[in-house]
Amino acid sequence: MLIPIFNIELMRKLSLLIFLLCVWISLKNQNAEPKKGISTARWSSSVDSSLVFSASPLPQPMVLSSKKDVLEFNDSGSLEYNFYRNSCPQAEQIVRAVVQRLHEARPDVVPALLRLVFHDCFIEGCDASVLLDAAEGIDSEKESPPNETLKGFDVIGIIKSELEEACPGVVSCADILVLAARDSVALAGGPFYPLCTGRRDSSNSFSDLATNELPSPFHDLSQTLASFASRGFDEREAVSLLGAHSIGVIHCKFLQNRLYNFSGTDGPDPSVETRFLNLMRSKCNNTHRSSSSSSATAYSYGSSLSSSGAQQSPSHDGSPSSSPEDPGMAMDFEGPRSPFGTLYYHSLLQGRGILYVDQQLMAGEETGNWVRAYASHTSLFRREFALAMMKLSNLQVLTAPTGHIRLNCSKVG
């Protein structure tokens, strides 16, 4: 149950209590050696503690050290805050500058990158395997049905090219991808969260896993929660990560069955509010109906920035579509005026979730409670979303001596 989170004053007091407790523990153990299996990350003292601490349980153990400002992450590899401070001190600034520059010219860049990082990290961890082209011995994840509409590969290539000029052979494609996605979230109006770096790149791609294990926009609640649980995310984290659907454009082919022939009933999904159903039908006429299957389509996770103003019509993930006449439904259908996440959760409370997988969050007691909590407290959602994205970015990372640094993100050699 989520009763405590609805009391914002209690939440603040608990946050302060957790902070003080962590400082006390760290002072007590400041001379202790790091435990085996726990990776350490140097943490900038300028980071806002409200981003790190919340009244609800944290996704992974975190201890703030007053001596070295160290943050411990319980993950599989050893990542370090500001890992490139000596080898490529401008690395993160270069990533941020390229993402911002391209975003100003192409609003589709931001949702494309956010979706791209989810599809990479969800399959065998954040190792840039999704970026590899097909080659001898490599079945590219790009060619798996859920990834056929992925965009943003060219953006990663541009960033990599600029980094290779500044620091040849130093910055991994895996780090580029998580940093670019982080900067995309900030450009979308979401929270800026700190990331540790030092990831290395995979020499393989996992097409079959991408086909079978990426979640689908047609999944019911139990399927969605099972998919996230298989990667270590609980119900709260799943609800917060789906907040990335706050903004973006969903292609009509992902909505047709829900609007006109839900579960073979020859009628709409009864969970859709009537006026909203009419609005979606006005955007997605039944004559545009196309065949699609849940097994062949993955989340539009990361289709989280409206492409209004783009010169090309956006596809369901917010990036330019190959068919400019294809219709779609903007996730921020009321306009980009609300804070990141606010419209999404309020819409679910009103039966106005665009994707079936989103509206299904109201079908469970705990997930529904988290939807109400995030709809009521934007600051709570921003903290939870930041923590969940940090956790996502740390899934099954490769660190030295495993993995390698690709000179070209789409090729092993």
Side-chain angles (χ1 to χ4, degrees), residues 79-106:
L79 301 177
E80 186 175 341
Y81 190 74
N82 201 14
F83 177 82
Y84 299 107
R85 63 191 175 280
N86 295 321
S87 58
C88 190
Q90 291 82 35
E92 294 195 26
Q93 291 89 336
I94 290 173
V95 173
R96 188 171 304 125
V98 174
V99 172
Q100 184 165 355
R101 183 178 76 235
L102 295 179
H103 163 65
E104 291 172 356
R106 298 167 44 193

Side-chain angles (χ1 to χ4, degrees), residues 344-385:
Y344 173 78
Y345 294 108
H346 277 287
S347 296
L348 299 185
L349 295 178
Q350 300 167 2
R352 295 163 72 88
I354 296 177
L355 287 170
Y356 177 70
V357 68
D358 293 326
Q359 193 58 52
Q360 274 285 290
L361 294 178
M362 294 304 299
E365 180 179 1
E366 184 170 351
T367 55
N369 282 338
W370 281 112
V371 169
R372 284 183 279 272
Y374 294 155
S376 300
H377 304 298
T378 301
S379 61
L380 174 65
F381 163 67
R382 291 174 67 87
R383 284 194 295 271
E384 297 289 308
F385 183 78

Side-chain angles (χ1 to χ4, degrees), residues 278-289:
N278 293 333
L279 173 62
M280 286 203 292
R281 282 180 166 179
S282 70
K283 302 288 186 181
C284 298
N285 191 292
N286 202 25
T287 58
H288 292 111
R289 187 169 181 172

Side-chain angles (χ1 to χ4, degrees), residues 226-365:
S227 292
F228 278 95
S230 70
R231 269 48 179 188
F233 294 100
D234 60 22
E235 293 191 23
R236 177 204 66 204
E237 293 164 331
V239 175
S240 61
L241 281 173
L242 284 171
H245 286 175
S246 298
I247 38 185
V249 177
I250 305 300
H251 194 286
C252 284
K253 71 179 180 179
F254 298 99
L255 308 176
Q256 294 292 346
N257 289 342
R258 190 178 185 217
L259 301 181
Y260 298 101
N261 189 27
F262 180 71
S263 297
T265 61
D266 202 31
D269 178 356
S271 67
V272 184
E273 188 266 337
T274 302
R275 287 176 295 178
F276 192 59
L277 172 66
N278 293 333
L279 173 62
M280 286 203 292
R281 282 180 166 179
S282 70
K283 302 288 186 181
C284 298
N285 191 292
N286 202 25
T287 58
H288 292 111
R289 187 169 181 172
S290 60
S291 60
S292 62
S293 66
S294 59
S295 63
T297 310
Y299 265 129
S300 57
Y301 178 97
S303 47
S304 53
L305 186 65
S306 173
S307 296
S308 58
Q311 294 180 351
Q312 294 172 282
S313 294
S315 68
H316 79 282
D317 67 346
S319 17
S321 169
S322 58
S323 175
E325 296 182 359
D326 287 339
M329 183 74 185
M331 298 301 276
D332 55 345
F333 52 89
E334 292 183 356
R337 297 182 300 274
S338 301
F340 182 77
T342 301
L343 176 61
Y344 173 78
Y345 294 108
H346 277 287
S347 296
L348 299 185
L349 295 178
Q350 300 167 2
R352 295 163 72 88
I354 296 177
L355 287 170
Y356 177 70
V357 68
D358 293 326
Q359 193 58 52
Q360 274 285 290
L361 294 178
M362 294 304 299
E365 180 179 1

Side-chain angles (χ1 to χ4, degrees), residues 24 151 239 275 397:
W24 178 79
K151 308 291 183 182
V239 175
R275 287 176 295 178
V397 297

